[in-house]
Amino acid sequence: MGNAAMHGEKEERPELSISLRAQLHALSKVDLHRHLEGSLRLQTLAEIAQEHGIDLPSYDIEYLRPFVTVTDDEPDFHRFLQKFQLLRRFYTTQAAIERVAYEAVADAAADNVKYLELRFNPVALARAQGFSLDEVTTWVCAAVARAQRDFGVRTNLILQIGRDEDLDTASYIADVALAHRSEGVVGLDLAGDEARYPARCFAAVFQRVRQEGLGVTVHAGEVGGAENVREAVELLGAQRIGHGVRAIENSEVVQLLRDCGVTLEVCPTSNLQTGVVRRFWQHPLPDMLALNLRVTINTDDPSISDTTLTDEYLTVTLAMGVTLEQIKRTIVTAAESSFQPPDERRRLAEWFRKELGLEGR
Ligand code: HPA
Ligand code: ZN
């Protein structure tokens, strides 16, 4: 209750007493670009480490924080990716993997995410303990199915190939993705160092899954230039691009994205921490919106970046001048770009239009 109401005065303009954060938190949201391995609660990591005797000098979460989360690190892409290396040690058992998958959906629900596509690299979950890619995928699917029932977040999964994988492993990950379609796997992603490992090597793998009906998204145009975005679209058949912010450096690539209706999964805080932009006000998101690109706003790695989707909306509002109406449109764009069958995609977009008051606009 505000001060005025406490003193018995008539409270004027009550809408002004609702903070911007609360307003953004209350929005029903879509996150298309969120890594399971970047969505681990520190408390859970500490508990897993203790239960399984993972050798750490301390199990205190404040000790763990700088290993997992970007704190005062100098912005750097490789330093950002290194955070994932430590995390690989925590996928110790089936129970641990199921727990982190379940909690990732719970945390999305707490942020009012209503539709989530969660991605993970099955090699990262499997390798330390010698699990098979197939079994870790089965565990994640089962945990996510349970979580979506418990928390009411519609959740689908995307399997991720690291750019540093050999072609046989990449092709096998594609097979695993196709084999788990009935359990909620809807797409395939390419991630890792785009400056060192070209996407074109994986063209056949991605074209194959696309023909089989899986969605294709590729991390590109983040630390690499616009040509990498062109390659992802033209050679791999990407319908969505992870980040893609550097596409605007080349007007032909911008035109290609518009012609092909490609959706860009923008993750603002991640871009700052990987050094793609030095300051939020320099971020190209407002330009991308002005160019009529299909833009969505996402978290990438909530734990590594210490962020939520509400935080990302707050950042684009306060630091980039993006309006609430524009944010709502990005949410509808995200629903339209979800890797679901066309009917479900349309229904989801319609639901969000109604929910966000954008009907007929
Ligand atoms: N870029 C490339 N690979 C990644 C990223 C990213 O931002 N996050 C996790 N893997
Ligand atoms: Zn990512």
Side-chain angles (χ1 to χ4, degrees):
M1 196 187 287
N3 251 345
M6 274 194 303
H7 292 100
E9 300 159 23
K10 181 170 171 280
E11 196 167 8
E12 287 182 7
R13 309 281 303 273
E15 73 274 16
L16 289 182
S17 68
I18 302 172
S19 75
L20 179 59
R21 164 176 284 283
Q23 194 179 7
L24 295 173
H25 178 263
L27 287 179
S28 294
K29 304 176 184 66
V30 175
D31 198 332
L32 297 180
H33 189 134
R34 187 177 295 211
H35 296 261
L36 172 60
E37 300 96 305
S39 307
L40 309 168
R41 296 179 190 167
L42 285 176
Q43 186 58 43
T44 297
L45 290 190
E47 287 173 27
I48 291 172
Q50 215 152 10
E51 268 170 41
H52 297 282
I54 295 176
D55 184 23
L56 295 171
S58 164
Y59 298 118
D60 187 284
I61 64 166
E62 289 316 313
Y63 169 81
L64 279 173
R65 191 181 304 279
F67 290 100
V68 176
T69 300
V70 174
T71 48
D72 52 0
D73 313 21
E74 181 66 18
D76 181 75
F77 179 64
H78 292 101
R79 202 169 294 155
F80 187 89
L81 288 193
Q82 265 168 14
K83 305 278 182 199
F84 291 96
Q85 293 307 321
L86 175 95
L87 295 173
R88 289 187 175 200
R89 298 176 57 200
F90 292 85
Y91 310 119
T92 45
T93 59
Q94 175 179 354
I97 291 172
E98 289 180 348
R99 178 173 174 184
V100 296
Y102 185 85
E103 289 177 353
V105 178
D107 291 348
D111 201 21
N112 267 322
V113 173
K114 302 293 188 209
Y115 179 82
L116 173 67
E117 286 183 7
L118 191 62
R119 61 187 72 193
F120 66 98
N121 178 345
V123 175
L125 300 191
R127 201 149 271 170
Q129 298 293 325
F131 300 133
S132 77
L133 304 194
D134 196 64
E135 62 191 346
V136 295
T137 303
T138 300
W139 300 338
V140 173
C141 289
V144 162
R146 214 162 22 88
Q148 65 170 329
R149 277 196 304 274
D150 290 353
F151 302 110
V153 186
R154 179 103 190 83
T155 309
N156 284 315
L157 292 159
I158 296 172
L159 259 59
Q160 177 190 318
I161 296 172
R163 283 176 182 256
D164 56 344
E165 290 305 347
D166 61 60
L167 206 48
D168 284 347
T169 306
S171 189
Y172 185 62
I173 294 171
D175 293 341
V176 172
L178 289 164
H180 288 269
R181 292 168 76 167
S182 65
E183 297 152 72
V185 175
V186 294
L188 195 65
D189 172 37
L190 187 67
D193 188 350
E194 60 172 315
R196 252 177 90 185
Y197 303 101
R200 71 184 80 91
C201 315
F202 302 100
V205 173
F206 279 84
Q207 293 288 356
R208 174 164 71 88
V209 298
R210 171 109 194 245
Q211 265 164 18
E212 297 275 342
L214 281 184
V216 169
T217 178
V218 173
H219 283 72
E222 179 190 19
V223 292
E227 279 308 317
N228 286 2
V229 175
R230 186 205 296 274
E231 186 177 52
V233 174
E234 289 184 343
L235 301 184
L236 277 69
Q239 298 132 306
R240 300 196 326 228
I241 297 290
H243 305 289
V245 291
R246 292 189 54 193
I248 63 161
E249 293 169 8
N250 183 325
S251 57
E252 277 181 22
V253 175
V254 168
Q255 195 54 45
L256 175 74
L257 294 174
R258 279 198 298 240
D259 290 347
C260 298
V262 173
T263 295
L264 300 163
E265 305 159 354
V266 177
C267 311
T269 300
S270 166
N271 291 159
L272 194 78
Q273 295 177 343
T274 55
V276 175
V277 293
R278 299 297 298 185
R279 298 279 182 269
F280 278 129
W281 60 264
Q282 294 167 326
H283 196 284
L285 178 64
D287 297 332
M288 295 164 80
L289 289 166
L291 286 165
N292 272 329
L293 287 168
R294 293 178 62 78
V295 171
T296 63
I297 300 167
N298 309 273
T299 50
D300 209 7
D301 299 291
S303 313
I304 291 174
S305 296
D306 190 21
T307 193
T308 63
L309 198 45
T310 297
D311 291 324
E312 298 301 304
Y313 290 175
L314 203 54
T315 294
V316 303
T317 305
L318 298 177
M320 303 181 202
V322 174
T323 65
L324 182 61
E325 169 96 10
Q326 284 175 312
I327 290 174
K328 289 180 178 179
R329 287 184 187 282
T330 66
I331 297 170
V332 172
T333 300
E336 288 169 348
S337 309
S338 60
F339 289 151
Q340 300 191 100
D343 276 358
E344 283 182 46
R345 201 161 54 210
R346 264 194 297 276
R347 234 176 293 139
L348 187 71
E350 240 358 271
W351 185 87
F352 273 101
R353 258 187 222 106
K354 203 178 258 176
E355 171 78 4
L356 300 169
L358 291 180
E359 287 161 298
R361 281 199 273 167

